[in-house]
Amino acid sequence: AQSVTQLDSHVSVSEGTPVLLRCNYSSSYSPSLFWYVQHPNKGLQLLLKYTSAATLVKGINGFEAEFKKSETSFHLTKPSAHMSDAAEYFCVVSDGAGTYKYIFGTGTRLKVLA
Amino acid sequence: GAVVSQHPSRVICKSGTSVKIECRSLDFQATTMFWYRQFPKKSLMLMATSNEGSKATYEQGVEKDKFLINHASLTLSTLTVTSAHPEDSSFYICSADRQGRDYGYTFGSGTRLTVV
């Protein structure tokens, strides 16, 4: 069965410093992985996705993630944090067992300090 | 780009009444839509998969008679919370499948339901 673990429930960074949000996955299949961002009381916006092409994936707003099969990781990074990046981030794996389900991590709340 | 509209964004209702939430795909057809529930400061929990023209598939532990889902057209799915109780208060989010699960589903902006 698929699962996703987000290792940090809260991350605080200063504006202009790098961001690292960690995600590990477990999958019996070749997974598809996503990062979504959610601002307060809003829906989810897709940041980026990995679908078995290039292992380094570039997304919107300067975010990147690298798929590392050997480490079963899909960490999200950004070189320089902006105040507007403060939000909840979810790592997601799609169920490859013939269904259409997404399995969500528990989320990481990113706080950006001025 | 793919847009999913969810309405209403906020609703307050009295205990015992029913509330309907709409999820529309504005610029694409979606044979499959999904309904999630999100508790405060928690992750999203899949409630059910809504299939156009057929019955919804509910996740284990979700009461199908309480959370009625109708997917009558390729652009509209509705979730009706029947006989609402305060414990049904939550943030409900829908998503729609435009290109397939491996390309990223599009999410609505969510509905904050408060039952008083």
Side-chain angles (χ1 to χ4, degrees):
Chain A
Q2 264 78 326
S3 67
V4 172
T5 302
Q6 289 184 246
L7 299 163
D8 306 294
S9 59
H10 293 82
V11 170
S12 291
V13 300
S14 297
E15 190 175 23
T17 64
V19 175
L20 170 64
L21 305 183
R22 297 183 294 168
C23 172
N24 285 97
Y25 70 91
S26 172
S27 175
S28 303
Y29 307 90
S30 180
S32 291
L33 293 156
F34 310 86
W35 277 98
Y36 281 87
V37 61
Q38 184 182 33
H39 289 90
N41 293 311
K42 300 290 185 183
L44 278 74
Q45 181 183 20
L46 179 65
L47 279 177
L48 49 80
K49 56 182 180 280
Y50 167 78
T51 55
S52 74
T55 56
L56 180 61
V57 181
K58 294 184 184 298
I60 62 171
N61 301 336
F63 284 95
E64 293 183 349
E66 186 171 7
F67 173 73
K68 292 187 176 180
K69 187 175 181 179
S70 60
E71 299 176 10
T72 61
S73 68
F74 190 58
H75 301 334
L76 181 70
T77 61
K78 182 173 181 177
S80 176
H82 192 272
M83 296 297 287
S84 61
D85 294 328
E88 188 86 18
Y89 292 79
F90 292 98
C91 184
V92 178
V93 62
S94 70
D95 189 326
T99 71
Y100 292 86
K101 297 180 184 179
Y102 274 6
I103 297 164
F104 281 78
T106 50
T108 298
R109 181 163 297 276
L110 176 64
K111 187 173 181 179
V112 182
L113 307 172
Chain B
V3 178
V4 173
S5 173
Q6 193 171 337
H7 178 79
S9 58
R10 291 178 177 271
V11 58
I12 301 173
C13 70
K14 293 184 178 180
S15 290
T17 62
S18 295
V19 173
K20 180 184 285 188
I21 302 170
E22 294 187 348
C23 180
R24 292 181 185 272
S25 56
L26 296 185
D27 52 356
F28 65 100
Q29 294 182 330
T31 55
T32 305
M33 293 185 176
F34 306 89
W35 288 97
Y36 295 84
R37 182 173 180 176
Q38 186 179 30
F39 292 97
K41 300 183 180 180
K42 297 290 184 183
S43 189
L44 278 72
M45 179 191 78
L46 179 64
M47 299 174 65
T49 302
S50 173
N51 304 297
E52 188 270 335
S54 64
K55 291 183 179 180
T57 304
Y58 289 82
E59 296 300 300
Q60 192 172 10
V62 177
E63 299 177 63
K64 60 181 67 177
D65 293 331
K66 180 166 189 60
F67 298 100
L68 300 179
I69 291 172
N70 184 280
H71 195 155
S73 78
L74 286 170
T75 59
L76 174 64
S77 176
T78 61
L79 168 68
T80 301
V81 182
T82 62
S83 186
H85 290 281
E87 57 265 31
D88 298 325
S89 298
S90 195
F91 195 59
Y92 294 87
I93 307 177
C94 69
S95 71
D97 174 11
R98 182 183 188 186
Q99 294 179 278
R101 68 178 186 275
D102 293 339
Y103 293 91
Y105 295 146
T106 303
F107 284 80
S109 54
T111 297
R112 171 74 59 193
L113 170 63
T114 303
V115 184
V116 298

